[in-house]
């Protein structure tokens, strides 16, 4: 199999990530539930991972690192915990349903949302963020990169608007955490939401949020915390305030090893290789007759994604043919990005998304290029 | 025989405790993680504490101040069990 669906999840993980999970499953107790050796091993592993992630994203303190199951959970906590009825939120048409659906829920409860429009290339005009600000605007919630086109948003520009108007700045880094450096303090990000299983190269079921020091978020869950047992309310201290229930210690051990791997290999090296593979693919297919390639391929910084359609073929049929005849795994359909497909004009056709990992080889890319050429008899 | 006191640093969360443990280790101040006795845990304390000997308490307080470390309380309790523990990790 040639796996080119890394924007959904990275399939190939560093061996030390797998080893760390296996070791954790043999040794870790429940963190924060007692101080026996196994429990303490779990507590040390989880705290150690907080420290590493705080450094990785330039958080002020490890207590600002909250573990969740994925970006979706992080975004639900951030959006539902910070937005109230009557508040206005600015978001974009680039968003994934993990942002859109919590926002729609808040709309039903009386919040207002303005979506900054994207053009046919999936690009936004940054002055539209400023223009969307109203008296009751509370927050800007946006992705760092579209999971459909790979187009990135300039967080510096958007963060400057948020800062100028005293707005909360909530960022979905699902497609960029692990390959693009993100400094939450420099960018003025109040809540950074990330997943562990994509470019962070960790296990599924891991993710988290980096919360600005002092920002109080209404918790989505309450319950077991291992602390303050006799209190009727969930602890208010971070990160426990947002972490009810047993954490995924085994997965977090894997994420810990993944951060070590990225630091050792070098995020820049990983990103440059992925960009090289993406460019190689793009250069190999851009002249195929009747191919439609979506997104701003001229942009210097972009997530390693190329989404296409072949003529009027249904994207699912193309993806299925790539799978059945060539052993190439891609993602077709709507990609949980309804507004983005609307902007691109691909609601009915969908698109075939190719997304790359630094573990992919040049030969795999060339095979994918040849397959598309054969499908179109180019 | 003089009564021996155990000194416990108590926390609101495990994260606070793990953070201070790192600071104390870096400062070379002996302590070990211990279950927090119920009798001193109070309503806000969590189940873990850092156990220190009396001679290291002032150094620990200094370390807390220098690192702006978070904790809930510091309490002394007479040692109830004469365990063979002179060992701090």
């Amino acid at each position: 199999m040639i796996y080119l669906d890394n924007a959904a999840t990275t399939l190939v993980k560093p061996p030390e990530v797998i080893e760390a999970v296996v070791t954790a499953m043999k040794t870790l107790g429940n963190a924060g539930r007692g101080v026996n050796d196994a429990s303490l091993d779990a507590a040390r592993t989880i705290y150690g991972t907080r420290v590493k992630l705080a450094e990785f994203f330039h958080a002020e303190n490890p207590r600002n690192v909250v573990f969740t199951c994925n970006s979706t959970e992080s975004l639900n906590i951030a959006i539902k915990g910070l937005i109230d009825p009557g508040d206005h939120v600015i978001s974009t048409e680039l968003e994934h349903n993990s942002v859109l659906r919590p926002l729609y829920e808040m709309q039903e409860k009386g919040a207002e949302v303005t979506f900054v429009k994207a053009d046919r290339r999936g690009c936004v005009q940054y002055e539209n963020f400023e223009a969307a600000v109203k008296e009751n605007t509370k927050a800007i919630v946006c992705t760092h990169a579209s999971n459909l086109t790979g187009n990135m948003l300039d967080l510096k520009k958007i963060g400057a608007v948020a800062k100028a108007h005293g707005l909360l700045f909530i960022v979905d880094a699902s497609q960029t955490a692990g390959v693009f450096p993100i400094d939450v303090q420099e960018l003025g990000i109040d809540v950074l939401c990330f997943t562990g299983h994509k470019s962070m190269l960790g296990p599924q079921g891991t993710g988290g949020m980096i919360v600005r020091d002092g920002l109080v978020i209404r918790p989505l869950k309450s319950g077991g915390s291992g602390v303050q047992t006799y209190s009727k309310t969930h602890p208010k201290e971070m990160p426990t305030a947002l972490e009810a229930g047993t954490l995924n210690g085994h997965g977090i051990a894997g994420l810990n090893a993944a951060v070590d791997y990225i630091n050792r290999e070098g995020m820049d090296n990983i990103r440059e290789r992925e960009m090289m593979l993406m460019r190689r693919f793009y250069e190999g297919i851009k002249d195929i007759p009747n191919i439609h390639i979506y997104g701003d391929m001229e942009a210097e910084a972009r997530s390693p994604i190329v989404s296409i359609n072949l003529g009027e073929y249904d994207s699912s049929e193309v993806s299925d043919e790539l799978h059945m005849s060539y052993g190439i795994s891609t993602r077709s359909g709507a990609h949980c990005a309804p507004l983005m497909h609307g902007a691109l004009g691909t609601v009915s056709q969908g698109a075939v998304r190719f997304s790359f990992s630094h573990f992919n080889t040049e030969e795999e890319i060339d095979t994918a290029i040849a397959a598309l050429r054969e499908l179109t008899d180019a | 025989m003089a009564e021996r006191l155990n000194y416990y640093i108590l926390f609101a969360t495990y994260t606070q405790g793990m953070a201070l443990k790192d600071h104390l280790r870096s400062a070379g101040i002996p302590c070990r993680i211990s279950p927090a006795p119920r009798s001193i845990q109070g309503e806000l304390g969590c189940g873990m504490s850092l156990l220190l000997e009396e001679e290291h308490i002032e150094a620990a307080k200094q370390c807390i101040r220098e690192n702006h470390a978070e904790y809930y309380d510091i309490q002394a309790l007479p040692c109830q069990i004469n365990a063979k523990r002179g060992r701090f990790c």
Side-chain angles (χ1 to χ4, degrees), chain A residues 32 34-35 47 63 227-228 230 240, chain B residues 13-14 19 35 38 44 46 70:
Chain A
V35 290
Y47 180 71
R63 69 170 169 256
V227 302
Q228 303 172 26
Y230 294 96
T240 310
Chain B
T13 68
Y14 277 71
R38 278 298 319 156
L44 288 179
C46 77
E70 295 173 295

Side-chain angles (χ1 to χ4, degrees), chain A residues 70-360:
Chain A
N70 45 48
S71 287
T72 295
E73 186 181 0
S74 302
L75 287 158
N76 269 267
I77 293 170
I79 292 169
K80 294 174 183 174
L82 289 168
I83 307 303
D84 293 305
D87 289 339
H88 171 243
V89 180
I90 300 169
S91 190
T92 80
E93 290 189 337
L94 275 68
E95 307 307 318
H96 187 275
N97 270 337
S98 55
V99 169
L100 297 176
R101 285 178 172 162
L103 285 178
Y104 293 147
E105 267 189 69
M106 297 317 293
Q107 262 184 326
E108 282 181 9
K109 290 179 179 170
E112 298 174 70
V113 185
T114 299
F115 293 103
V116 171
K117 292 197 173 304
D119 61 22
R120 295 284 284 191
R121 288 186 312 151
C123 299
V124 297
Q125 298 297 317
Y126 287 96
E127 57 268 28
N128 289 339
F129 286 90
E130 180 78 37
V133 176
K134 305 202 298 187
E135 201 172 312
N136 60 337
T137 305
K138 175 90 171 277
I140 299 176
V141 187
C142 71
T143 188
H144 193 189
S146 162
N147 70 310
L148 173 54
T149 63
N151 287 3
M152 292 182 71
L153 291 179
D154 188 331
L155 296 183
K156 268 189 187 167
K157 287 183 181 170
I158 301 169
V161 175
K163 189 176 180 185
H165 294 276
L167 310 178
L168 293 171
F169 188 26
I170 302 167
V171 174
D172 170 11
S174 299
Q175 295 298 336
T176 54
V179 277
F180 285 90
I182 300 172
D183 184 329
V184 291
Q185 294 188 71
E186 188 188 324
L187 293 166
I189 296 171
D190 293 287
V191 187
L192 179 79
C193 302
F194 65 94
T195 192
H197 69 99
K198 296 188 180 186
S199 297
M200 293 293 291
L201 303 172
Q204 295 178 6
T206 62
M209 15 186 354
I210 310 295
V211 180
R212 193 220 331 131
D213 208 34
L215 180 64
V216 177
I217 301 178
R218 190 169 49 236
L220 204 59
K221 300 180 290 185
S222 59
S225 62
V227 302
Q228 303 172 26
T229 293
Y230 294 96
S231 169
K232 286 185 177 177
T233 55
H234 196 76
K236 296 188 181 347
E237 291 80 8
M238 287 287 280
T240 310
L242 300 178
E243 289 182 343
T246 297
L247 291 175
N248 178 7
H250 303 144
I252 291 168
L255 185 59
N256 188 316
V259 173
D260 284 344
Y261 172 85
I262 293 169
N263 287 336
R264 190 183 71 239
E265 291 296 312
M267 187 189 293
D268 293 347
N269 295 332
I270 291 171
R271 185 178 63 253
E272 280 165 20
R273 174 159 178 80
E274 292 182 357
M275 293 300 121
M276 181 274 289
L277 293 171
M278 179 192 68
R279 293 281 171 208
R280 185 183 182 103
F281 180 72
Y282 173 70
E283 292 298 327
I285 65 165
K286 68 179 184 183
D287 297 325
I288 293 176
N290 283 326
I291 196 166
H292 304 288
I293 301 174
Y294 303 100
D296 180 9
M297 298 306 297
E298 306 307 315
E300 213 168 280
R302 62 191 327 285
S303 192
I305 290 170
V306 180
S307 287
I308 64 128
N309 272 315
L310 294 181
E312 301 304 316
Y313 290 152
D314 188 289
S315 63
S316 296
E317 204 172 323
V318 173
S319 185
D320 189 51
E321 187 62 23
L322 287 167
H323 170 58
M324 296 303 291
S325 298
Y326 302 94
I328 298 170
S329 296
T330 59
R331 168 88 187 274
S332 62
H335 313 88
C336 301
L339 301 184
M340 191 72 264
H341 275 286
L344 299 177
T346 50
V347 168
S348 58
Q349 191 177 13
V352 186
R353 183 182 69 185
F354 296 77
S355 50
F356 308 98
S357 157
H358 69 293
F359 286 120
N360 285 126

Side-chain angles (χ1 to χ4, degrees), chain A residues 31-35 39-40 43-45 47 50-51 61-63 225-231 235 237-240 243, chain B residues 11-16 18-23 25 33-36 38 41 43-49 68 70 89:
Chain A
R33 308 294 192 276
V35 290
S39 171
L40 283 180
R44 286 189 194 100
T45 299
Y47 180 71
R50 285 192 212 282
V51 171
N61 191 297
R63 69 170 169 256
S225 62
V227 302
Q228 303 172 26
T229 293
Y230 294 96
S231 169
E237 291 80 8
M238 287 287 280
T240 310
E243 289 182 343
Chain B
F11 304 96
T13 68
Y14 277 71
T15 302
Q16 292 179 1
M18 301 305 287
L20 182 57
K21 179 78 171 68
D22 278 359
H23 291 311
R25 186 193 294 125
I33 295 171
S34 164
R38 278 298 319 156
Q41 213 179 98
E43 286 197 4
L44 288 179
C46 77
M48 84 160 268
S49 67
H68 306 289
E70 295 173 295
C89 56

